[in-house]
């Protein structure tokens, strides 16, 4: 650790490895949910992690609707089925066959569903930081979701984000008022496994882009292939991540 | 660890603590940047963490513009100064005095700036999952930003998100094309300290909301104060987090 920060702020190798494991081993889970209930203390911890996300002007615009009721979840699943039926029509031929073979939600299999919302009118931060980009409250809410997703992985919990939903219908099912935007509908539960790669990559829907192609220097489009490749080199991931890489490869 | 998941997927206590430390000790840094350069291997790791965020349909809509050029950063800072001058006019009296005393960016002090963008037209995922909620590509980009922010904390790097910018001007300064949306402008560098609480809380701009007030059961507005308080109890954070809490209190 060559950081100049005071040593009490530095992470141990194992703590740092934990952060990278959560990042690299997090998956969008649809197929692998187990019915095992999520204990309250674990649920409390991942919600607390969400609540400690950054937010514009310390606005904390998020709310958390915990959904266990099976009738409600069945309504949400019916919403998904209709939205997905329409979405599938975009694809034809082999791509349609592949699309139809994908499992894109685990609404009923997961023991817990969670809708994370954004109150566009919450005045906690008095609008600080939000006057130039109005969407920053939505962005803050997504930061909370990603905190929860990573904390969940550290607790061996899987999370799946169901984006194929009619949000007007979802709002109606969950009685969400008009000034509140549903941002994510999540399925949460223990899993039989965390797959080594994203399902859409394993099934051949698309591949992971090379990071080096996404790096620009000082201005958009100014690329430096050699330097970008150096930043993207697996060798650069460092000793402490070798075990992560091995566990992904194994 | 009472998880039913195979033990090779479980995190050690130290790894799990690392994730929660990153979540609870992450700060939006404006004041504490040091000029120490960020080594390429560390930069590569936090970008790789960003690139491993979840994305709708595996779309990976993000790009990363690394900005070190001082003239460009000065242009961006001038953009901030004008946007902030206008934003300040919203506040009056004591609140205005407090607003004017806040330092809201570290554009020139941080050795590295990073603009994270979202290519709204990227077709990697063939639109999967994005037909019902068009903004999911922006949300994916924010997941990448939060991954980077937490990985940065594990590397003892501070990150500050500058949201008070005219994004049309920013687009012009960085030559970002019209189909690409700037999502975040980040300042990145080592820090003299990670403050124990957010600056806006310490300065009295606003307080952290009680998590329990933000939890709903099955439908919006159905609250259960006793159960929500139990989920929000510090005692529920668990043994492995005691050291985190102590370091935050200390």
């Amino acid at each position: 650790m060559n950081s100049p920060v005071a040593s009490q702020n530095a992470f141990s190798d194992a703590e740092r490895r934990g952060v990278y494991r959560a990042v690299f081993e997090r998956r969008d889970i649809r197929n692998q949910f187990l019915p095992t209930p999520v204990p309250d203390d674990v649920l409390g911890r991942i919600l607390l992690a969400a609540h400690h996300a950054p937010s514009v002007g310390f606005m904390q615009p998020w709310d958390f609707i915990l959904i266990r009721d099976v009738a409600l979840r069945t309504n949400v699943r019916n919403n998904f089925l209709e939205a997905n039926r329409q979405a599938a029509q975009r694809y034809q031929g082999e791509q349609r066959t592949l699309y139809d073979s994908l499992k894109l939600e685990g609404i009923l299999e997961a023991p817990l569903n969670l809708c994370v919302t954004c109150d566009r009118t919450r005045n906690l931060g008095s609008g600080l930081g939000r006057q130039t980009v109005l969407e920053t409250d939505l962005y803050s809410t997504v930061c909370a979701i990603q905190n929860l997703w990573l904390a969940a992985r550290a607790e061996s919990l899987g999370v799946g984000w169901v984006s194929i939903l009619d949000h007007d219908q979802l709002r109606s099912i969950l009685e969400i008022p008009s000034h509140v935007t549903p941002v994510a509908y999540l399925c949460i539960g223990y899993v039989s496994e965390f797959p080594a790669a994203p399902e859409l990559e394993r099934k051949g829907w698309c591949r992971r882009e090379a990071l080096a192609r996404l790096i620009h220097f000082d201005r958009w489009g100014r690329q430096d292939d050699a330097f970008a490749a150096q930043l993207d080199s697996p060798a650069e991931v460092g000793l402490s991540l070798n075990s992560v890489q091995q566990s992904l490869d194994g």
Side-chain angles (χ1 to χ4, degrees), chain A:
Chain A
M1 306 297 276
N2 57 359
S3 150
V5 82
S7 62
Q8 67 268 28
N9 280 325
F11 277 40
S12 70
D13 284 350
E15 288 170 339
R16 194 166 65 118
R17 185 173 59 238
V19 173
Y20 284 111
R21 278 196 67 187
V23 164
F24 294 127
E25 299 181 17
R26 180 209 52 75
R27 286 289 165 270
D28 193 316
I29 299 291
R30 303 94 173 254
N31 270 319
Q32 293 84 12
F33 284 114
L34 301 174
T36 320
V38 179
D40 291 341
D41 60 332
V42 178
L43 176 57
R45 284 199 291 270
I46 66 174
L47 289 172
L48 199 62
H51 187 45
H52 280 255
S55 62
V56 60
F58 209 34
M59 181 185 181
Q60 308 161 73
W62 41 71
D63 280 87
F64 306 96
I65 311 175
L66 297 166
I67 305 132
R68 288 201 177 89
D69 184 88
V70 173
L72 279 176
R73 287 195 278 144
T74 301
N75 287 344
V76 174
R77 182 149 191 279
N78 288 337
N79 177 342
F80 163 81
L81 289 173
E82 175 56 23
N84 197 45
R85 193 187 62 76
Q86 292 181 32
Q89 295 174 4
R90 173 180 179 136
Y91 307 105
Q92 296 181 322
E94 276 184 33
Q95 197 177 33
R96 173 63 183 268
T97 305
L98 178 53
Y99 186 89
D100 288 342
S101 76
L102 297 169
K103 187 170 191 314
L104 298 173
E105 54 76 39
I107 296 167
L108 292 176
E109 297 91 332
L112 178 65
N113 290 186
L114 173 65
C115 185
V116 185
T117 62
C118 176
D119 180 348
R120 312 294 314 262
T121 64
R122 188 160 295 164
N123 197 34
L124 272 177
S126 305
L128 186 148
R130 211 185 145 210
Q131 294 175 59
T132 35
V133 184
L134 196 64
E135 296 78 14
T136 43
D137 57 347
L138 296 169
Y139 297 169
S140 301
T141 304
V142 175
C143 288
I145 292 161
Q146 186 63 5
N147 266 9
L148 180 144
W149 209 333
L150 294 173
R153 179 62 192 88
E155 301 280 2
S156 297
L157 280 174
V159 173
W161 181 328
V162 185
S163 62
I164 305 173
L165 289 173
D166 177 314
H167 274 204
D168 288 335
Q169 272 186 43
L170 181 66
R171 195 191 284 282
S172 166
I173 294 168
L174 300 178
E175 300 177 9
I176 298 170
S178 61
H179 64 285
V180 174
T181 298
V183 175
Y185 192 89
L186 305 175
C187 305
I188 302 176
Y190 290 108
V191 298
S192 55
E193 61 161 341
F194 288 96
E199 173 149 344
L200 293 180
E201 188 177 10
R202 285 182 297 133
K203 292 277 182 74
W205 184 261
C206 68
R207 60 181 166 67
R208 192 181 293 282
E209 184 59 276
L211 171 59
R213 293 188 52 178
L214 306 174
I215 300 175
H216 309 242
F217 295 88
D218 282 323
R219 288 182 183 85
W220 179 273
R222 295 210 182 169
Q223 299 194 286
D224 176 337
D225 291 345
F227 184 50
Q230 185 182 325
L231 290 177
D232 187 20
S233 162
E236 296 287 329
V237 176
L239 271 179
S240 67
L241 289 181
N242 281 352
S243 59
V244 173
Q245 202 56 48
Q246 283 164 8
S247 75
L248 290 173
D249 296 342

